[in-house]
Amino acid sequence: MKMIVMVMMMMMMSEGSMIDQTCKQTPDFNLCVSLLNSDPRGSSADISGLALILIDKIKVLATKTLNEINGLYKKRPELKQALDQCSRRYKTILNADVPEAIEAISKGVPKFGEDGVIDAGVEASVCEEGFQGKSPLTSLTKSMQNISSVTRAVVRMLL
Amino acid sequence: MASSDALLPISAREEEPSCPYTKLPDGSRSDPETHPRRRRPYKGLLAVSFGLLLIAFYVALIATQDGSRSNEAANAIDETEKTTSSSRARLAGVSEKSNDGLWKLSGGRNTPAFEWNNSMLSWQRTAFHFQPEENWMNDPNGPLFYKGWYHFFYQYNPNAAVWGDIVWGHAVSRDLIHWVHLPLAMVADQWYDSNGVWTGSATILPDGSIVMLYTGSTDKAVQVQNLAYPEDLNDPLLLKWVKFPGNPVLVPPPGILPKDFRDPTTAWKTPEGKWRITIGSKINKTGISLVYDTTDFKTYEKLDTLLHGVPNTGMWECVDFYPVSKTARKGLDTSVNGPDVKHIVKASMDDTRFDHYAVGTYFESNGTWIPDDPTIDVGMSSSLRYDYGKFYASKTFYDQNKGRRILWSWIGESDSEAADVQKGWSSLQGIPRTVALDTKTGKNLVQSPVEEIKSLRLSSKKFDLELSPGSVVPVDVGTATQLDIEAEFEIKKESLDKFFGDASVVAEAEEFSCEKNGAGSTVRNALGPFGFSVLATESLSEQTPVYFYIAKGKDSKLKTFFCTDTSRSSVANDVIKPIYGSVVPVLKGEKLTMRILVDHSIVEAFGQGGRTCITSRVYPTTAIYGAAKLFLFNNALDATVTASFKVWQMNSAFIHPYSEEAVRALTRT
């Protein structure tokens, strides 16, 4: 009986270690682990599944950032031009990058998923640069860049 | 470019920091295979016996993981140099994470934020390259010649300017240049291709009928091969296609994963009179090509042997296999074999987005192939490429109309997806090229844009110039956005003699590469670089140099490189701007020649008669419309170069949307 319990515990540990093993091959282990553990699907997902969870995080973050951008039009009207650019960039993440990545990874052609994920980081960077050092979105930008580079590393494991 | 200040790149390439974690694409991987295999844990009594296995597995993974990490750190510096042209993240000036985690875009804090406007974006559309009216395109599919028409099919997304919802687009032409778009040939309407009607190839049978094999992604996202054929062989436009009711004809065999089985080739005859095809795949990280025989394209026997495989090259996509003549620069039907024939194996490397090929020998008795030079085997980072720029998923077909082999290739964008969405389209096809073995070297292919492109040539100007060291010369040709340039260069004998005699000129051919150090064409050396700068503003604030660079080897032999430097092609900070190129063989007595096709946002460059080819995508912001100019330059420190060249204005190909009149108009030509 004790043997069975011990082995079951070891199995659970090694399930958790799938996330560990995967995240060790990304540029930000802690971020990767926290994102994947925060999703109930994380503990039983294969690498494709983990990639899809991360892409979902990109989608959630892009939505959050877009809401923030919309709120800033009233609070910081002088930033309108940069906010317009950012709005376009984040809409691209939501409407183009994310669906492309989800479809590509689900269908086993991860290279298109890699393109979409990389582009999410690019769009965030371009938006940030538009404020020329006075961005109200810096911490959201950093999050997107970090999640994008972690996700990219996971997607590359599928190639 | 008379002074080195003028040569400073607008987007200063930053030091590549080491990236110990990110797996950068590298044809010669050295990290061990540590990717954990997915396994659902078994519950119940069986679980007990596996428990100990899992523990041991976990321990082993930890041990090898540490080893692989130090390997990656060591390889990181080497690998960074190989990634410049393959990674969208490597936007010029967009460095990998710096210490504070912020991606640095080019130009720093003082550059005004750049925004694309519709004028800049609409200029990017090409005049004479194949592209659909809107949305996304990728791989060329099933090219063929039938009843007087060249047919072209392609991976197409009818709904967006990014990849997805893939179906088969279709177009026809009399001359591979003037196209009419036709309705979609095949859509995702069966369970066996509901998740994608993917890449495939055509085989023309001796009786003149056509079979099309293509990959379908099933409703369960399994990759299978399907058979389709024209509904009506009397319709020269082959508008309608029928899918074989017994599809799929091939499913992933044992040992092959369901998502590693795609892109069937054109078939060729075996000695027994059967048809043989090959399909790319992988086993772990070894890229392979599976072989199947068939008599009717409906049932197949899989050979136990592979056509070929190369370790550490990853998944082989869009495999192509064809004979080339050793003695004549002509095309051969895919089934031809004999003592005067070599065979080419080509594959698109999923890991790096490069197309690689090798010349070798095919053994028809057992359907295997070996390369002439195993040190440059297919997919190795050192192996030959059709094109050293943006060029992927290429496919050839035998054009029985003119006895030549034609090469198509997908040319993707190098800009942001936001720009693609804004402009409403993404991707081009390269101008179809004839491809043949270089009968002079016997070791590489040569490519050339099809002759028919000359029908687009309008007015021309001829020039004979002497370029002194450090000179930059404007070439007055009027508008410079649609050009065909043929040029010959010669270094003056006195300069060459001086060069060879000069002991202080350091041997550097072994270390030089076009991409090195980001200096590109701005470098100044004894013998170059020299060449043209296309899509350049008057002030050279934006420009795209296409050039030769000659370096001296340790044995005092000269080595010539052919490069395209896009690092200053645009001031935009959200486009990729690599420096592309490779060594180009130059035989004794040959002058240096280059051909350049400029067509808005695409530049195709051919060095030494097509021995080395470079396709680039560029997105200038000011070097557009009437402001785009052509320059000639010679960055050599001492050598004088003579340039003899002709520049043609190129007409549009007027690629038409589908209509009966458009088809009739082409029929008359």
Side-chain angles (χ1 to χ4, degrees):
Chain A
M1 188 56 209
K2 271 190 197 159
M3 178 65 172
I4 294 174
V5 170
M6 202 172 72
V7 165
M8 299 270 278
M9 274 174 61
M10 302 250 187
M11 274 176 358
M12 272 159 43
M13 266 170 61
S14 56
E15 277 180 67
S17 79
M18 159 70 78
I19 291 181
D20 276 5
Q21 295 316 305
T22 305
C23 288
K24 278 196 171 116
Q25 299 174 72
T26 71
D28 192 334
F29 176 81
N30 291 328
L31 173 65
C32 176
V33 168
S34 75
L35 288 171
L36 292 173
N37 278 333
S38 72
D39 191 301
R41 299 167 288 175
S43 56
S44 54
D46 57 16
I47 301 182
S48 284
L50 295 178
L52 289 169
I53 292 172
L54 291 170
I55 290 164
D56 204 48
K57 301 293 180 190
I58 289 178
K59 180 178 180 184
V60 165
L61 178 59
T63 307
K64 176 179 176 186
T65 311
L66 210 44
N67 288 338
E68 181 70 20
I69 290 168
N70 288 336
L72 282 167
Y73 277 105
K74 279 225 175 92
K75 292 183 224 161
R76 307 283 305 276
E78 76 279 11
L79 297 177
K80 181 184 188 305
Q81 206 185 352
L83 290 172
D84 281 347
Q85 163 94 279
C86 287
S87 179
R88 173 181 305 151
R89 299 290 176 163
Y90 278 89
K91 280 177 182 159
T92 301
I93 298 178
L94 281 173
N95 301 330
D97 297 337
V98 165
E100 177 184 38
I102 292 173
E103 181 172 351
I105 286 159
S106 312
K107 295 180 183 178
V109 272
K111 70 171 180 285
F112 296 114
E114 187 185 9
D115 284 350
V117 164
I118 291 171
D119 192 68
V122 168
E123 306 295 0
S125 303
V126 172
C127 153
E128 178 76 14
E129 178 67 9
F131 295 103
Q132 294 177 264
K134 297 181 181 157
S135 168
L137 299 173
T138 303
S139 94
L140 288 167
T141 303
K142 279 190 189 178
S143 292
M144 184 61 83
Q145 288 164 343
N146 292 340
I147 298 180
S148 157
S149 78
V150 162
T151 310
R152 185 202 177 187
V154 176
V155 171
R156 282 206 65 80
M157 295 175 207
L158 297 168
L159 286 171
Chain B
M1 285 181 239
S3 79
S4 34
D5 291 327
L7 306 178
L8 283 175
I10 296 254
S11 49
R13 202 168 260 282
E14 295 171 41
E15 265 274 303
E16 308 288 12
S18 68
C19 305
Y21 301 105
T22 312
K23 272 222 168 112
L24 300 171
D26 180 0
S28 52
R29 283 176 195 278
S30 58
D31 46 294
E33 288 162 15
T34 57
H35 306 309
R37 303 285 288 133
R38 47 189 173 106
R39 221 174 274 282
R40 286 206 151 266
Y42 296 91
K43 306 287 182 196
L45 284 173
L46 282 169
V48 177
S49 54
F50 281 106
L52 290 168
L53 263 174
L54 285 171
I55 295 162
F57 186 54
Y58 179 62
V59 169
L61 277 175
I62 298 289
T64 50
Q65 195 64 45
D66 289 336
S68 82
R69 182 143 9 123
S70 59
N71 273 347
E72 282 179 278
N75 286 334
I77 304 291
D78 289 342
E79 290 180 63
T80 52
E81 290 199 63
K82 290 168 193 164
T83 60
T84 42
S85 50
S86 67
S87 156
R88 208 180 255 270
R90 291 224 170 260
L91 304 192
V94 179
S95 63
E96 295 289 320
K97 261 169 50 160
S98 62
N99 290 338
D100 63 19
L102 252 188
W103 290 43
K104 292 204 189 81
L105 293 176
S106 61
R109 299 276 147 104
N110 297 321
T111 315
F114 175 78
E115 273 189 56
W116 293 103
N117 63 36
N118 286 331
S119 170
M120 295 166 184
L121 291 178
S122 57
W123 175 89
Q124 292 173 10
R125 240 186 121 77
T126 65
F128 54 87
H129 280 74
F130 181 84
Q131 57 181 124
E133 295 164 80
E134 56 176 359
N135 293 334
W136 166 279
M137 162 174 68
N138 54 293
D139 304 5
N141 297 153
L144 60 99
F145 179 83
Y146 181 75
K147 285 194 163 37
W149 291 94
Y150 288 97
H151 286 260
F152 181 66
F153 304 89
Y154 55 97
Q155 298 283 278
Y156 179 61
N157 183 348
N159 302 322
V162 296
W163 180 89
D165 296 344
I166 295 293
V167 296
W168 272 39
H170 186 190
V172 287
S173 170
R174 306 292 284 183
D175 64 358
L176 292 168
I177 298 293
H178 297 87
W179 295 90
V180 172
H181 292 300
L182 297 183
L184 300 176
M186 291 196 286
V187 296
D189 57 5
Q190 301 297 323
W191 69 267
Y192 49 77
D193 60 18
S194 67
N195 271 320
V197 190
W198 290 350
T199 292
S201 310
T203 304
I204 302 187
L205 304 183
D207 65 359
S209 62
I210 298 166
V211 293
M212 193 74 83
L213 286 173
Y214 71 96
T215 299
S217 180
T218 69
D219 53 359
K220 304 276 191 294
V222 175
Q223 293 169 12
V224 298
Q225 315 314 322
N226 301 310
L227 171 65
Y229 37 82
E231 182 182 89
D232 177 9
L233 281 168
N234 290 317
D235 169 22
L237 296 186
L238 300 176
L239 284 173
K240 292 208 181 342
W241 289 76
V242 170
K243 296 175 185 175
F244 171 54
N247 279 334
V249 295
L250 277 174
V251 299
I256 298 296
L257 293 175
K259 297 188 165 84
D260 293 340
F261 186 61
R262 53 186 182 270
D263 312 333
T265 62
T266 295
W268 65 95
K269 281 279 190 169
T270 70
E272 296 83 34
K274 296 184 190 172
W275 291 102
R276 180 165 284 167
I277 62 167
T278 188
I279 303 177
S281 183
K282 67 171 171 163
I283 295 180
N284 295 322
K285 282 289 174 188
T286 296
I288 60 172
S289 204
L290 305 162
V291 185
Y292 291 86
D293 284 359
T294 181
T295 51
D296 57 3
F297 292 89
K298 294 170 181 170
T299 56
Y300 296 76
E301 336 152 14
K302 179 174 164 296
L303 270 58
D304 291 329
T305 47
L306 301 171
L307 180 69
H308 196 56
V310 180
N312 294 321
T313 52
M315 175 70 188
W316 281 14
E317 301 192 291
C318 302
V319 170
D320 200 1
F321 174 75
Y322 56 90
V324 286
S325 166
K326 281 158 75 172
T327 54
R329 280 188 60 161
K330 61 179 189 184
L332 297 175
D333 179 280
T334 315
S335 294
V336 165
N337 204 352
D340 285 338
V341 162
K342 300 291 307 180
H343 277 81
I344 305 292
V345 168
K346 167 262 165 188
S348 294
M349 301 299 147
D350 202 14
D351 283 7
T352 59
R353 321 290 166 81
F354 294 152
D355 277 7
H356 287 274
Y357 74 88
V359 185
T361 304
Y362 170 59
F363 299 99
E364 59 180 16
S365 53
N366 64 0
T368 60
W369 172 95
I370 55 167
D372 286 349
D373 183 351
T375 65
I376 49 169
D377 204 348
V378 184
M380 291 179 171
S381 58
S382 52
S383 73
L384 295 170
R385 290 163 56 185
Y386 281 136
D387 190 294
Y388 291 85
K390 183 89 178 167
F391 192 94
Y392 192 69
S394 58
K395 183 183 289 299
T396 66
F397 76 103
Y398 175 61
D399 170 12
Q400 73 274 25
N401 181 39
K402 294 198 168 173
R404 51 187 180 175
R405 184 158 286 269
I406 307 279
L407 172 70
W408 281 96
S409 181
W410 168 39
I411 316 295
E413 299 294 312
S414 299
D415 64 357
S416 71
E417 292 194 12
D420 296 343
V421 167
Q422 192 178 347
K423 71 193 190 191
W425 62 270
S426 173
S427 297
L428 308 169
Q429 296 292 327
I431 296 292
R433 301 173 180 176
T434 56
V435 60
L437 190 67
D438 185 346
T439 48
K440 294 190 184 145
T441 66
K443 295 182 180 174
N444 53 273
L445 297 170
V446 283
Q447 303 156 56
S448 184
V450 290
E451 276 296 298
E452 290 92 325
I453 198 173
K454 294 179 179 172
S455 70
L456 296 177
R457 287 175 168 176
L458 299 169
S459 58
S460 67
K461 273 186 169 180
K462 198 169 188 315
F463 301 84
D464 281 283
L465 301 175
E466 196 171 273
L467 298 167
S468 52
S471 57
V472 183
V473 175
V475 180
D476 180 18
V477 291
T479 27
T481 52
Q482 292 169 212
L483 301 175
D484 186 355
I485 305 172
E486 281 182 355
E488 210 172 71
F489 294 89
E490 216 174 347
I491 302 178
K492 294 200 87 172
K493 189 176 182 301
E494 310 86 70
S495 310
L496 270 177
D497 290 341
K498 192 172 164 220
F499 179 71
F500 278 114
D502 189 348
S504 71
V505 176
V506 167
E508 38 131 18
E510 278 69 45
E511 303 90 46
F512 182 85
S513 75
C514 295
E515 302 96 336
K516 226 163 173 91
N517 297 330
S521 55
T522 62
V523 112
R524 297 203 60 190
N525 220 313
L527 289 183
F530 55 87
F532 289 93
S533 200
V534 305
L535 296 172
T537 54
E538 195 98 47
S539 64
L540 296 171
S541 54
E542 288 182 336
Q543 53 167 318
T544 302
V546 178
Y547 54 97
F548 286 112
Y549 182 87
I550 303 177
K552 190 179 184 181
K554 289 196 192 83
D555 50 1
S556 281
K557 282 214 180 117
L558 295 182
K559 213 166 172 185
T560 308
F561 295 83
F562 183 59
C563 318
T564 299
D565 177 356
T566 72
S567 64
R568 288 162 296 155
S569 56
S570 174
V571 301
N573 57 8
D574 61 347
V575 298
I576 302 174
K577 295 179 273 191
I579 301 171
Y580 298 119
S582 176
V583 73
V584 57
V586 178
L587 304 180
K588 204 170 173 113
E590 285 180 356
K591 292 205 180 126
L592 292 173
T593 63
M594 68 165 77
R595 180 150 179 215
I596 308 175
L597 293 173
V598 180
D599 185 7
H600 298 260
S601 61
I602 184 169
V603 177
E604 294 194 47
F606 301 84
Q608 219 55 22
R611 285 198 183 121
T612 295
C613 309
I614 308 171
T615 302
S616 317
R617 299 302 311 279
V618 292
Y619 307 92
T621 64
T622 45
I624 61 179
Y625 299 111
K629 309 278 177 211
L630 177 66
F631 285 84
L632 198 54
F633 72 95
N634 176 14
N635 266 8
L637 289 167
D638 299 305
T640 298
V641 174
T642 57
S644 179
F645 59 99
K646 205 162 176 185
V647 183
W648 287 266
Q649 289 292 332
M650 293 295 269
N651 202 355
S652 165
F654 300 111
I655 297 177
H656 273 92
Y658 178 52
S659 74
E660 309 238 333
E661 304 104 77
V663 172
R664 259 183 270 128
L666 284 189
T667 319
R668 273 182 247 122
T669 57

